[in-house]
């Protein structure tokens, strides 16, 4: 398992280089740049700006420089506010990680509970309720759910603010949780789709497991319900659920573009969308590489978790 | 009195014959028995017809989606404006139909584009030996590490705002399929083809091992004939199901892009840009947001149910 982990970690390196190269090529093929605005800059100003950021070097030089810097963990400097991309991402990540963790917890706990309940009451009222929620989840992507939740809970009921104002998310890192309400609607809209997905998979997996002989044996031995369900059934039903955690992480990353924009949350997703709008290529490339690493690591973690949960899998 | 002899049964009469049904006839029959899938299909057709009729003008549309009526800004639903008006006094029904048509058209054409690339690459990988296979698998791995929407945004950024004819801002343009539309189709298609290619490859590799392919080869069928008449038709049901699920995914991707401001610029409208502009007015005119949001939800549900129904109808393993 140790050798496998090392191999997988090393495999991330060529992946990151490939992604960085593709992104670099794509960004070089883009029409227009960050210095284009409604008021055209003078030729001299533009030349100076390009010189400052090294944009006047030949393509090959810039590429080698970029990869070289990347190898040292340097993602470059933002073309619009002169700050290091790495610093900006670290700052924004503190916000995104809170939303991501909250969403992940919501999606897995609620999804697992709903899915299991549905499986245990197969064809009962609980089952239909679970299936209904799972189906509704598929029909309510975050960009539909976010504004609807805002209308119901912020505009009509007035329970929450429409936008996550006052940088509530950033204060939590300093231990100030007075703005705790701000995370609720974003978590719901970001997590509903994943929650429905988890519930669907859990239901199917539980139904499959409950039919197995060893569950009947466990009942026959006279074990208590809690032990049968938790120790024998749930543990085995978790394995198929693990397989979808990778796609769910990717979904959270992509969903953060939408949800952070919809609620005005200053996270990495919003940073990416803004950078695309103002064509800050250094930030776009930096965030892309960053997300690639995050997703690759998450996929690795999920694969390692298989081996932990299922002793039959040897790595 | 002569007893009339029992008349022998006339087997030439067609009373015993049941109607003959082919593969597709059977599949359709199974689909029609699935009421949810059938209803979804009908709803989708109705929505598509309404959207197309709106584009043509009367009688389902009384107002031009682009013309503002400053006398009735943010008015609620009325007999003149069925669904109300937006912040500029534009008819929400007309805007909704415009956005729906754009999104549906986008979903369908993206899938056509995806099918062409996906089937050719998938077939190439399955039949073209190791090297082609290696390239495809590399792409697949890359796509697995790269979130879809992120890749689509980067693609769109590269293709957008060019002066190219047909797929750019330049002339000539194809009427009804503007440069913005085609660029979005290409950007999503260039990312989404990997799924179909993988599917086709998997199916083809499996079918290649089947006895009927061996039999066809043994009778001297040319490789082209084997692929065209024996292998391709057998991948068709999987492709149809994948396409049905792919259309809402493309609609979803475009709507998400438009919602965050990276989609179609005005005066064009998609369901996503309608939701996006509706969100700006949720405090004062929340109805503006509810219609396109409901439309997205309906489309997603219908395509999901239809896809499920098609999968059950076309998958021979679930056949009783």
């Amino acid at each position: 398992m140790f050798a496998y982990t090392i191999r997988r970690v090393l495999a991330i390196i060529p992946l990151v280089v490939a992604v960085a190269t593709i992104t670099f090529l794509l960004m070089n093929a883009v029409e227009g740049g960050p210095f284009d605005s409604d008021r055209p800059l003078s030729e001299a100003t533009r030349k100076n700006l390009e010189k400052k950021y090294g944009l006047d070097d030949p393509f090959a030089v810039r590429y080698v420089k970029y990869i070289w810097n990347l190898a040292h963990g340097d993602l470059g400097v933002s073309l619009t506010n002169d700050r290091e991309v790495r610093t900006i991402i670290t700052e924004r990540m503190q916000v995104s990680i809170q939303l991501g963790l909250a969403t992940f917890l919501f999606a897995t706990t609620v999804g697992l509970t709903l899915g299991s309940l549905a499986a245990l009451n197969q064809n009962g009222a609980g089952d239909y309720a679970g299936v209904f929620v799972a189906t509704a989840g598929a029909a309510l992507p975050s960009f539909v759910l976010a504004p609807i939740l805002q209308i119901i809970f912020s505009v009509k009921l007035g329970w929450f603010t429409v936008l996550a104002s006052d940088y509530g998310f950033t204060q939590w890192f300093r231990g100030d949780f007075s703005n705790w309400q701000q995370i609720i609607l974003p978590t719901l809209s970001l997590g509903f789709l994943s929650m429905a997905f988890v519930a669907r998979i859990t239901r199917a997996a539980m139904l499959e497991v409950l039919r197995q002989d060893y569950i009947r044996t466990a009942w026959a031995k006279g074990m208590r319900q809690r032990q049968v369900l938790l120790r024998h059934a749930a543990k085995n039903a978790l394995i198929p659920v693990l397989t979808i955690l990778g796609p769910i992480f990717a979904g959270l990353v992509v969903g953060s573009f939408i949800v952070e924009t919809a609620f005005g949350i200053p996270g990495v997703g919003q940073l990416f969308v803004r950078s695309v709008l103002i064509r800050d290529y250094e930030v776009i490339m930096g965030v892309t590489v960053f997300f690639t690493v995050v997703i690759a690591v998450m996929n690795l973690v999920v694969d390692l978790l298989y081996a932990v949960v299922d002793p039959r899998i040897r790595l | 009195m002569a007893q009339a002899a029992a008349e022998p049964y006339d087997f030439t009469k067609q009373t015993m014959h049941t109607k003959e049904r082919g593969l597709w006839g059977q599949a359709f029959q199974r689909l029609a028995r699935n009421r949810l899938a059938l209803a979804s299909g009908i709803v989708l057709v109705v929505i598509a017809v309404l959207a197309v009729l709106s584009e043509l003008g009367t009688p389902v549309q009384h107002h031009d989606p682009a013309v503002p009526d400053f006398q009735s800004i943010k008015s609620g639903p009325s007999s003149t404006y069925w669904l109300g008006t937006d912040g500029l006094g534009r008819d929400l029904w007309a805007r909704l139909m415009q956005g729906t048509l754009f999104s549906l058209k986008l979903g369908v054409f993206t899938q056509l584009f995806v099918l062409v690339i996906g089937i050719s690459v998938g077939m190439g990988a399955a039949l073209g030996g190791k090297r082609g296979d290696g390239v495809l698998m590399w792409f697949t791995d890359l796509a697995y590490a790269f979130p879809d929407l992120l890749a689509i945004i980067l693609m769109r950024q590269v293709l957008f705002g060019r002066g190219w004819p047909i797929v750019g801002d330049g002339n000539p343009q194809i009427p009804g399929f503007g440069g913005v539309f085609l660029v979005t189709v290409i950007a999503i298609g260039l990312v989404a083809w990997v799924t179909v290619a993988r599917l086709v490859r998997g199916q083809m590799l499996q079918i290649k091992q089947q006895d009927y392919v061996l039999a066809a080869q043994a009778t001297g069928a040319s490789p082209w004939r084997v692929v065209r008449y024996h292998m391709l038709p057998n991948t068709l049901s999987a492709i149809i199901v994948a396409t049905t699920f792919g259309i809402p995914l493309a609609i979803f991707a475009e709507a998400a892009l438009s919602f965050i401001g990276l989609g179609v610029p005005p005066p064009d409208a998609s369901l996503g840009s309608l939701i996006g502009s509706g969100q700006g007015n949720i405090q004062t005119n929340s109805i503006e947001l509810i219609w396109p949001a409901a439309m997205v939800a309906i489309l997603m549900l219908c395509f999901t149910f239809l896809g499920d129904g098609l999968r059950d109808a076309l998958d021979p393993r679930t056949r009783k």
Side-chain angles (χ1 to χ4, degrees):
Chain A
M1 182 151 162
F2 182 71
Y4 174 82
T5 314
I6 297 291
R7 222 173 333 125
R8 283 287 303 268
V9 170
L10 288 180
I12 294 178
I13 296 171
L15 177 76
V16 169
V17 173
V19 167
T21 308
I22 292 175
T23 319
F24 192 84
L25 287 173
L26 287 177
M27 289 302 108
N28 267 285
V30 168
E31 197 93 327
F35 308 131
D36 291 335
S37 63
D38 295 337
R39 261 190 328 176
L41 298 171
S42 73
E43 198 55 33
T45 319
R46 176 181 289 273
K47 279 239 170 72
N48 277 332
L49 277 169
E50 286 185 348
K51 194 173 173 63
K52 179 182 172 199
Y53 293 107
L55 296 176
D56 51 353
D57 288 337
F59 175 78
V61 174
R62 275 185 298 139
Y63 174 68
V64 172
K65 252 192 206 163
Y66 186 74
I67 298 292
W68 180 250
N69 287 338
L70 187 63
H72 293 81
D74 179 2
L75 294 172
V77 172
S78 162
L79 299 177
T80 45
N81 60 12
D82 258 0
R83 299 183 60 207
E84 270 199 54
V85 174
R86 195 174 49 183
T87 321
I88 305 178
I89 292 181
T90 320
E91 228 174 68
R92 298 265 183 154
M93 197 54 209
Q94 298 177 354
V95 174
S96 287
I97 234 173
Q98 298 168 13
L99 181 60
L101 269 180
T103 308
F104 184 72
L105 282 178
F106 163 72
T108 45
T109 47
V110 178
L112 282 171
T113 316
L114 268 183
S116 313
L117 285 179
L120 292 175
N121 304 297
Q122 200 190 357
N123 298 327
D127 193 14
Y128 286 118
V131 171
F132 176 78
V133 170
T135 316
L140 291 174
S142 51
F143 60 88
V144 172
L145 197 57
I148 288 180
L149 288 177
Q150 284 172 338
I151 288 182
I152 298 175
F153 293 104
S154 304
V155 178
K156 302 282 180 211
L157 295 174
W159 292 357
F160 309 107
T161 50
V162 172
L163 298 179
S165 51
D166 311 319
Y167 285 72
F169 281 85
T170 42
Q171 284 166 10
W172 294 350
F173 248 80
R174 302 185 198 107
D176 176 6
F177 291 99
S178 53
N179 283 316
W180 61 272
Q181 306 97 327
Q182 294 194 349
I183 206 169
I184 293 177
L185 294 188
T187 303
L188 279 177
S189 20
L190 183 54
F192 203 68
L193 203 73
S194 313
M195 187 272 285
F197 196 21
V198 172
R200 215 160 48 220
I201 303 285
T202 309
R203 176 177 178 272
M206 269 303 241
L207 285 179
E208 180 67 34
V209 167
L210 287 175
R211 269 202 299 269
Q212 300 292 321
D213 288 341
Y214 56 80
I215 297 294
R216 197 172 31 179
T217 312
W219 288 119
K221 280 194 299 187
M223 288 179 88
R224 269 174 298 152
Q225 186 185 23
R226 218 182 59 172
Q227 274 187 317
V228 176
L229 294 182
L230 287 182
R231 191 175 296 171
H232 293 263
K235 255 190 185 173
N236 283 297
L238 265 180
I239 298 167
V241 179
L242 272 181
T243 57
I244 61 162
L245 286 188
I248 281 186
F249 278 123
L252 289 190
V253 167
V254 166
S256 73
F257 298 169
I258 300 162
V259 172
E260 286 181 6
T261 307
F263 288 95
I265 298 166
V268 188
Q270 194 201 43
L271 171 73
F272 182 76
V273 174
R274 280 211 181 146
S275 315
V276 172
L277 284 172
I278 58 178
R279 298 186 246 196
D280 190 338
Y281 302 127
E282 293 288 321
V283 179
I284 297 176
M285 288 193 287
V287 174
T288 307
V289 168
F290 172 73
F291 278 145
T292 311
V293 174
V294 168
I295 289 176
V297 170
M298 286 305 178
N299 281 330
L300 173 61
V301 170
V302 169
D303 285 352
L304 291 178
L305 271 180
Y306 284 145
V308 174
V309 173
D310 190 345
R312 283 169 300 184
I313 298 174
R314 297 205 182 280
L315 298 175
Chain B
M1 202 157 127
Q3 191 96 31
E7 212 161 282
Y9 190 80
D10 182 6
F11 282 101
T12 56
K13 278 188 189 165
Q14 303 223 322
T15 47
M16 299 261 302
H17 286 225
T18 53
K19 207 174 153 211
E20 230 175 86
R21 284 198 184 85
L23 173 74
W24 300 109
Q26 279 183 18
F28 183 77
Q29 199 193 13
R30 272 193 300 270
L31 185 66
R33 229 180 281 142
N34 185 339
R35 264 179 286 167
L36 202 54
L38 191 69
S40 302
I42 293 173
V43 170
L44 284 177
V45 170
V46 169
I47 290 175
V49 168
L50 277 179
V52 172
L53 283 181
S54 294
E55 180 78 359
L56 298 176
T58 51
V60 286
Q61 182 174 26
H62 300 299
H63 305 279
D64 189 311
V67 175
D69 175 2
F70 296 120
Q71 300 302 313
S72 47
I73 282 172
K74 296 184 182 177
S75 70
S78 64
S79 54
T80 340
Y81 299 106
W82 296 342
L83 304 182
T85 53
D86 69 2
L88 291 173
R90 291 176 293 191
D91 182 24
L92 284 181
W93 167 261
R95 298 263 293 159
L96 179 69
M97 284 300 123
Q98 187 192 13
T100 308
L101 184 68
F102 187 95
S103 291
L104 279 177
K105 221 163 55 171
L106 182 112
V108 172
F109 280 88
T110 306
Q111 278 305 303
L112 284 181
F113 185 71
V114 163
L115 284 183
V116 173
I117 307 184
I119 293 179
S120 6
V121 176
M123 261 171 55
L127 308 171
K130 273 227 170 93
R131 197 177 298 161
D133 212 24
V135 173
L136 176 67
M137 287 336 280
W138 189 77
F139 259 109
T140 314
D141 288 345
L142 203 64
Y144 185 56
F146 222 79
D148 293 5
L149 208 58
L150 185 73
I152 294 172
I153 290 176
L154 294 182
M155 285 291 176
R156 175 196 176 274
Q157 206 55 11
V158 173
L159 297 169
F160 221 70
R162 306 267 176 173
W164 297 330
I166 299 175
V167 290
D169 301 332
N171 288 316
Q173 299 262 327
I174 307 171
F177 301 92
V180 173
F181 174 80
L182 291 176
V183 162
T184 316
V185 165
I186 295 172
I188 300 176
L190 282 180
V191 174
W193 63 269
V194 182
T195 323
V196 173
R198 256 168 91 182
L199 179 83
V200 172
R201 171 183 172 272
Q203 292 271 320
M204 284 278 182
L205 284 178
Q206 202 186 354
I207 290 171
K208 213 157 69 166
Q209 309 293 326
Q210 300 285 323
D211 288 341
Y212 59 80
V213 170
L214 189 67
Q217 284 164 346
T219 53
S222 67
W224 164 245
R225 195 186 159 79
V226 173
V227 171
R228 167 73 183 77
Y229 290 99
H230 298 276
M231 297 180 66
L232 208 50
N234 279 301
T235 59
L236 211 54
S237 57
I239 291 175
I240 290 175
V241 174
T243 306
T244 318
F245 285 120
I247 292 175
L249 283 183
I251 294 177
F252 168 88
E254 191 281 326
L257 286 189
S258 289
F259 178 73
I260 55 181
L262 297 174
V264 291
D268 275 326
S270 80
L271 289 175
S273 67
L274 291 180
I275 295 176
S277 64
Q279 202 211 11
N281 291 331
I282 53 171
Q283 302 271 14
T284 52
N285 195 27
S286 49
I287 202 158
E288 189 183 332
L289 178 123
I290 290 179
W291 305 123
M295 184 58 90
V296 168
I298 292 173
L299 288 183
M300 294 278 161
L301 269 186
C302 286
F303 274 111
T304 311
F305 288 144
L306 186 65
D308 282 340
L310 279 173
R311 190 174 49 201
D312 293 343
L314 290 169
D315 189 352
R317 278 168 305 178
T318 59
R319 226 172 262 169
K320 296 203 176 80

